[in-house]
């Protein structure tokens, strides 16, 4: 009997030890472009991710507000995905770079404003069927946000968590989750985050380990390298996933709450000299906009696959464990199935809580661009993390 108990206990521990999270952002931008056939909420495979995060909503007069009139239909479709996977959790993300810092600065500046916001959040999440909130403030304590906001961001998180716990005691529903997307830059962490305090109140901390290099630097570089380049010195040596995640952990964040960011897109460059094609090659601007993302200097994975099929030279960057490719004077640093697999294995060995992908709509969701099946990047993460709770 004792041996049976011991065996069951070991089995339980093994199961708990493999409970990684896969948190997938869904950005609804493409639906509102008349000439783009973008992904709709019902196109998402609800069994790929443990959490789906709808982005974004805004803040108006210290209250949560919809950014698009069509969003009501989106919310219903998005949360109806839980009917096809009852273990799926959905979160609503508020903020992002486009919303600016001003609404957050006003919100956190007074207790009354924070309370108004929290009340509106609980009402909004319950009304539309979300399981929690994702705060996406870029960034407290910098980029126009005053130094005091570093602490006030902590206060806001603490008050949200307390209100979510209090709300549970009244309606007997599962507690709403509270998570935050955070930066990895040393200066931003120092200016914006009280790491230990945030870790105690947040359920998960999604670390944006991407946009680490781009056309704004004037030379080619990888979007989301696992390790530093041998040629990188000084602060540039910190622009890699390993350093960023270790830094968050060393500053007091619980490893099991830290979620590693995975980009389903790459940064593009126009080479100044098409004969110089390696890491650090001179670049004079971002690459041409893709037909779907329509952003200079950025391609979704599906767009990258089209570029690769056009005859581009593909190079595996062994030092940083990510690929890059070039054709003529166009150059892209990106991720593929191989780099996602390697990074996911690394996060498991490092005992982090899981992965988050920005964004599932930038993956090849139809399977028609890359020839790797539907959602190839997201599916790779699910497979490596062995997500039983996202498979039913």
């Amino acid at each position: 009997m004792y041996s049976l108990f011991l065996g069951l206990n070991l089995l339980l521990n093994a199961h708990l030890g493999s409970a990684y999270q896969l948190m997938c952002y869904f950005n609804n931008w493409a639906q509102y472009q008349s000439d783009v056939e973008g992904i709709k909420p019902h196109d998402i495979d609800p069994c790929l991710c443990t959490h789906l995060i709808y982005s974004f909503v805004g803040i108006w007069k210290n209250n949560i507000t919809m950014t698009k009139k069509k969003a009501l239909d989106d919310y219903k479709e998005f949360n109806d995905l839980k009917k096809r996977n009852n273990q799926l959790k959905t979160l609503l993300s508020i903020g992002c770079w486009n919303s600016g810092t001003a609404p957050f600065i006003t919100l956190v500046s007074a207790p009354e404003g924070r309370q108004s916001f929290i009340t509106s959040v609980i009402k909004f999440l319950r009304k539309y069927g979300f399981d929690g909130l994702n705060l996406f403030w870029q960034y407290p304590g910098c980029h126009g946000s005053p130094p005091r906001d570093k602490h006030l961001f902590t206060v806001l998180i603490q008050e949200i968590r307390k209100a979510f716990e209090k709300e549970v005691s009244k309606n007997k529903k599962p507690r709403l989750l509270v998570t935050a997307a955070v930066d990895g830059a040393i200066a931003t962490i120092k200016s914006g985050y009280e790491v230990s305090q945030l870790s105690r109140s947040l359920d998960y901390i999604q670390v944006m380990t991407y946009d680490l290099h781009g056309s704004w630097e004037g030379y080619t570089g990888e979007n989301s390298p696992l390790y530093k380049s041998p040629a990188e010195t000084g602060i540039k040596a910190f622009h890699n996933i390993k350093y960023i995640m270790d830094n968050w952990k060393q500053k007091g964040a619980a490893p099991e709450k830290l979620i590693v960011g995975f980009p389903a897109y790459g940064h593009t460059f126009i080479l100044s000299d098409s004969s110089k094609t390696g890491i650090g090659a001179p670049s004079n601007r971002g690459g041409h906009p893709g037909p779907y993302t329509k952003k200079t200097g950025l391609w979704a994975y599906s767009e990258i696959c089209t570029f690769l099929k056009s005859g581009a030279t593909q190079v595996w960057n062994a030092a940083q464990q990510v690929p890059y490719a070039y054709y003529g004077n166009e150059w892209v640093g990106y991720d593929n199935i191989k780099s996602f697999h390697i990074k996911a294995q690394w996060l498991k060995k490092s005992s982090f809580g899981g992965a988050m992908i920005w964004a599932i709509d930038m993956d090849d969701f139809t399977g028609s661009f890359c020839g790797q099946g539907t959602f190839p990047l997201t599916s790779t993460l699910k497979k490596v993390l062995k997500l039983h709770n996202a498979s039913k």
Side-chain angles (χ1 to χ4, degrees), residues 50-69:
T50 60
H51 300 72
L52 284 173
I53 307 174
Y54 186 98
S55 56
F56 290 100
V57 293
I59 301 171
W60 176 252
K61 295 183 177 179
N62 296 331
N63 278 246
I64 191 169
T65 182
M66 292 177 288
T67 56
K68 300 287 184 180
K69 291 182 179 179

Side-chain angles (χ1 to χ4, degrees), residues 228-240:
K228 79 177 190 71
S229 167
E232 289 179 331
T233 58
I235 195 168
K236 294 299 181 185
F238 305 146
H239 291 190
N240 59 84

